[in-house]
Amino acid sequence: MKTPVTDDRLPRYQRLRDQLAHEIAMNRWRPGEAIPTEAALAQEYAISVGTVRKAVDALVSEGVLERQQGRGTFIRRPQFQSSLFRFFRFQGPGGERRVPESRILRVETVPAPSAVSQVLDLPADAPVIRMQRLRLLDAQPVLAEEIWLSQALFQPLLEVDLDREGPLLYPIYESLCGQVVASAEETLTAEAASEVHARLLHTEPGSPVVVIERLARDYARKPLEWRRSRGHARHFHYSVEIR
Amino acid sequence: MKTPVTDDRLPRYQRLRDQLAHEIAMNRWRPGEAIPTEAALAQEYAISVGTVRKAVDALVSEGVLERQQGRGTFIRRPQFQSSLFRFFRFQGPGGERRVPESRILRVETVPAPSAVSQVLDLPADAPVIRMQRLRLLDAQPVLAEEIWLSQALFQPLLEVDLDREGPLLYPIYESLCGQVVASAEETLTAEAASEVHARLLHTEPGSPVVVIERLARDYARKPLEWRRSRGHARHFHYSVEIR
DNA sequence: GAGTGGTCTAGACCACTCA
DNA sequence: GAGTGGTCTAGACCACTCA
């Protein structure tokens, strides 16, 4: 193995998986780009194609790579719209899925509150961007979001009109700031609506709202964005299969 | 392939996977039992061991089988306690996980309401067992549950003192009724507590509660139990990793 | 030491994509 | 038709379990 980033005692397919994950994290290839063919990787690392396949299989099942028969194997660009739909049902009358529009209420830079600096892995009081926005369907508010970003990484956001860039932030992070969100961890809770959130969501104070906290990371698992979203419980819906 | 239960045009490892899943559903082996060795399966189905491994790999990753190096491959007995902990945090002061105790409030047989007969795949008005129970920690109610079962399958439950059998129902289903829960689908919502549920959960009417609906199935995916649980939102906590 | 699953190889042939 | 991933084989050797 050229640059050992992993334990020598592990099986070769594991070591290749770790090596590839490392190179992806280091941006050897961009999202959407193809990695070398299985035959090329087998030659590069002097192992058999079957072993390469096992390493690639692992990254495919982790959602990092995507195979296309006859074309190649590609760095997967995560589809984060879908995560919205895993938790909330935003459906039109015909059942089709709709991306809620976005209205930015406020953007400001502040010293990071300690909870934020901890979760984003920043020094205490590091400057952070705080964004408040509302997501709407048919002009009805469905989600109130509070978004925290390191100012050092996301400075360019302060210099554009975000409402003009469309409802999805992650493509903007990538094009404007070169930051790629690769995975995220979400935590769900429920609470009674505060005065402020009741006003934002056009509901009664005390009525049940669902709260989703999300920590988004890049391929190197460095935290990029922390987000807290609140939505009407009556839009909320989440299913899992357990075994 | 001896008994074709699957499409001939699929790859052999897929066909073997389907065949094994079918035989597991038909109770060829009981939970905890070993299936034949990879070599034996290769001979039985006249395919190579590598192909058998791929079929077994699929069932392992689906959570149906469990490998133990040097010992064999076994029918996995699902650990359903853990599902409770995926959604609610019931932790003692030291952070250890505790199974809430169970208090059965009521057991009765009724004609199935249409929602229940549909979801359990029973004829309209088929007799069903309806069970109400409370889960408690330190004598504090944490979950209110409503459980529906086909009377035809679960008749023996009516003849024992369920509160004496311990807090977990699925082992009882297996020992008393021979029904094995293999997987379940859970759907989460939140709502404001009704008068009844507020009283059961010792909380205020209107305060936020989390509602979990669960449909539990056997290995053949036949619905066995439908359950609706309500708990305090303040105990609620759920995390997912998304990509 | 016999029997199990775990890793790895080298190679054949198929299915699909794209110029 | 060249190049890609997808399936499948037969077999070697390793790691672990258990009597």
Side-chain angles (χ1 to χ4, degrees), chain B:
Chain B
M1 213 118 311
K2 294 189 309 189
T3 336
V5 291
T6 179
D7 194 323
D8 262 21
R9 293 162 300 183
L10 290 174
R12 297 195 200 191
Y13 77 91
Q14 268 291 1
R15 272 143 62 197
L16 177 56
R17 181 235 156 262
D18 292 348
Q19 177 66 33
L20 289 174
H22 175 72
E23 294 182 19
I24 291 166
M26 295 292 102
N27 288 316
R28 174 165 168 192
W29 310 280
R30 302 295 298 172
E33 252 181 63
I35 65 168
T37 69
E38 299 181 340
L41 287 171
Q43 199 176 10
E44 180 176 353
Y45 293 99
I47 55 183
S48 81
V49 178
T51 302
V52 170
R53 283 191 68 77
K54 224 175 151 175
V56 172
D57 279 345
L59 291 168
V60 168
S61 78
E62 289 169 47
V64 175
L65 295 177
E66 190 170 24
R67 287 200 152 100
Q68 289 184 39
Q69 188 175 0
R71 302 220 312 128
T73 300
F74 300 83
I75 307 291
R76 184 161 170 266
R77 192 189 302 276
Q79 290 307 79
F80 273 96
Q81 299 90 308
S82 74
S83 104
L84 251 184
F85 296 109
R86 287 173 61 163
F87 294 115
F88 287 92
R89 51 162 104 81
F90 297 135
Q91 287 170 350
E96 83 283 14
R97 295 172 153 201
R98 301 191 299 160
V99 176
E101 52 180 308
S102 161
R103 188 187 303 157
I104 309 269
L105 302 179
R106 187 194 186 110
V107 182
E108 57 188 338
T109 63
V110 295
S114 72
V116 172
S117 64
Q118 260 183 337
V119 79
L120 288 183
D121 205 9
L122 298 172
D125 298 321
V128 291
I129 299 172
R130 173 171 186 258
M131 217 186 296
Q132 285 181 282
R133 69 172 185 163
L134 209 54
R135 308 297 295 272
L136 306 100
L137 273 183
D138 301 325
Q140 291 298 310
V142 289
L143 274 184
E145 298 184 316
E146 192 176 32
I147 296 165
W148 301 84
L149 300 159
S150 148
Q151 186 177 354
L153 293 177
F154 290 92
Q155 176 70 34
L157 292 183
L158 299 172
E159 294 145 21
V160 296
D161 179 0
L162 283 169
D163 272 340
R164 292 204 167 183
E165 305 276 337
L168 298 172
L169 288 175
Y170 293 172
I172 306 176
Y173 294 170
E174 190 175 340
S175 59
L176 252 58
C177 314
Q179 301 295 327
V180 178
V181 171
S183 71
E185 193 187 321
E186 293 195 329
T187 300
L188 291 175
T189 53
E191 66 181 26
S194 70
E195 294 281 345
V196 171
H197 297 124
R199 202 171 332 116
L200 284 172
L201 293 171
H202 291 188
T203 183
E204 297 304 310
S207 67
V209 295
V210 170
V211 186
I212 300 182
E213 293 177 357
R214 178 199 286 174
L215 182 63
R217 306 173 194 267
D218 68 10
Y219 283 110
R221 298 194 63 77
K222 184 175 59 142
L224 292 179
E225 177 210 60
W226 190 67
R227 185 186 285 213
R228 182 150 48 190
S229 310
R230 292 180 168 85
H232 288 127
R234 71 165 171 277
H235 283 126
F236 179 69
H237 167 96
Y238 180 63
S239 291
V240 247
E241 177 83 10
I242 50 180
R243 285 169 195 281

Side-chain angles (χ1 to χ4, degrees), chain A residues 11-13 47-48 51 54 69-71:
Chain A
R12 297 197 202 192
Y13 78 91
I47 54 182
S48 81
T51 303
K54 225 177 150 176
Q69 187 174 2
R71 303 220 313 127

